[in-house]
């Protein structure tokens, strides 16, 4: 007599289909992970003391210790759809900037060296660079004296200065970012009063215009 507990052919086929579906989903997740890591490299703002992106991604083990060490909840671990490789720490300046803790607890919490534990000064953090992207929306370009980005900058008059410039035949007091001094903390972007920030913090290579490449892969 046949064993009533023995799986039927239909059950076996159903189980195989489910297993194939799980494998397919796992493959899609892996593909998404790879695509996330590749496409997000130039877009994410990393914590203070982050190594160059390729070195950072190689060293970061996605442990989240830097996120836990941040006293201002600035850092988060990337999920699918975020502008960073999955599981890696980053921050969004418009939401919560880096408050430039003098002792850089996030960097000191890193166990692998993805973040420089021996960062000599928070001013050497080099998280990115601020770029005045909205000449059509910046209130100073409209002839007003807003200058909030200058006033909130932790190192104003060094990272951001106000300078008289002639724009469309008018003399205007314009915020000017000094890239060698700007740490990319994002405080200026956070406090910009227009709906879409006229000043944005970008990874340094993106903000300053890194060496481009054409579609064929040859230097542009």
């Amino acid at each position: 007599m046949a064993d009533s507990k023995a799986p039927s052919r239909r059950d076996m086929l159903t189980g195989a289909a489910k297993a194939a579906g799980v494998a397919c989903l796992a493959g899609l997740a892996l593909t998404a992970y790879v695509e996330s890591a590749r496409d997000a490299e130039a877009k994410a703002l990393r914590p203070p003391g982050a190594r160059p992106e390729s070195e950072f991604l190689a060293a970061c083990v996605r442990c989240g210790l830097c996120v836990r060490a941040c006293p201002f909840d600035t850092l988060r671990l990337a999920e699918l759809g975020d502008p960073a490789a999955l599981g890696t720490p980053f921050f969004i300046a418009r939401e919560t900037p880096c408050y430039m803790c003098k002792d850089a607890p996030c960097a000191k919490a890193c166990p692998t060296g993805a973040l420089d534990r021996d960062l000599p000064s928070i001013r050497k953090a080099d998280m990115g660079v601020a770029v005045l992207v909205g000449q059509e929306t910046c209130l100073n370009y409209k002839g007003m004296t807003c200058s909030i980005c200058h006033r909130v900058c932790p190192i104003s008059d060094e990272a951001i200065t106000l300078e008289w410039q002639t724009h469309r035949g008018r003399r205007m007091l314009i915020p000017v970012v000094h890239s060698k001094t700007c740490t990319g903390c994002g405080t200026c972007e956070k406090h910009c009063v227009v709906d879409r920030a006229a000043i944005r913090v970008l990874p340094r290579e993106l903000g300053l215009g890194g060496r481009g490449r054409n579609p064929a892969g040859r230097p542009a």
Side-chain angles (χ1 to χ4, degrees), residues 11-94:
D11 290 338
M12 293 177 64
L13 290 174
T14 302
K18 288 181 178 179
V22 170
C24 181
L25 288 174
L28 289 173
L30 178 60
T31 299
Y33 180 93
V34 172
E35 290 297 325
S36 171
R38 183 177 62 195
D39 295 341
E41 288 176 3
K43 303 173 186 176
L45 294 176
R46 297 301 188 186
R51 303 291 184 182
E53 188 69 9
S54 60
E55 297 177 23
F56 174 82
L57 289 175
C60 178
V61 294
R62 283 71 167 168
C63 66
L65 291 177
C66 58
V67 175
R68 290 167 57 185
C70 176
F72 297 101
D73 295 326
T74 296
L75 301 176
R76 64 176 73 177
L77 291 180
E79 301 176 356
L80 276 176
D82 283 333
L86 276 172
T88 60
F90 77 108
F91 69 98
I92 298 176
R94 188 63 163 166

Side-chain angles (χ1 to χ4, degrees), residues 122-155:
I122 193 62
R123 290 196 177 198
K124 302 296 182 183
D126 196 15
M127 295 166 276
V129 64
V131 180
L132 191 61
V133 296
Q135 292 190 9
E136 294 184 358
T137 57
C138 175
L139 298 183
N140 285 63
Y141 275 94
K142 294 178 182 293
M144 306 178 194
T145 307
C146 168
S147 310
I148 186 69
C149 56
H150 169 259
R151 287 185 277 125
V152 300
C153 177
I155 45 177

Side-chain angles (χ1 to χ4, degrees), residues 123 126-131 155 158-160 176-184 204 207-208:
R123 290 196 177 198
D126 196 15
M127 295 166 276
V129 64
V131 180
I155 45 177
E158 293 183 47
I160 300 179
V176 176
V177 176
H178 301 272
S179 60
K180 291 184 178 179
T181 310
C182 176
T183 65
R204 187 165 291 268
L208 297 180

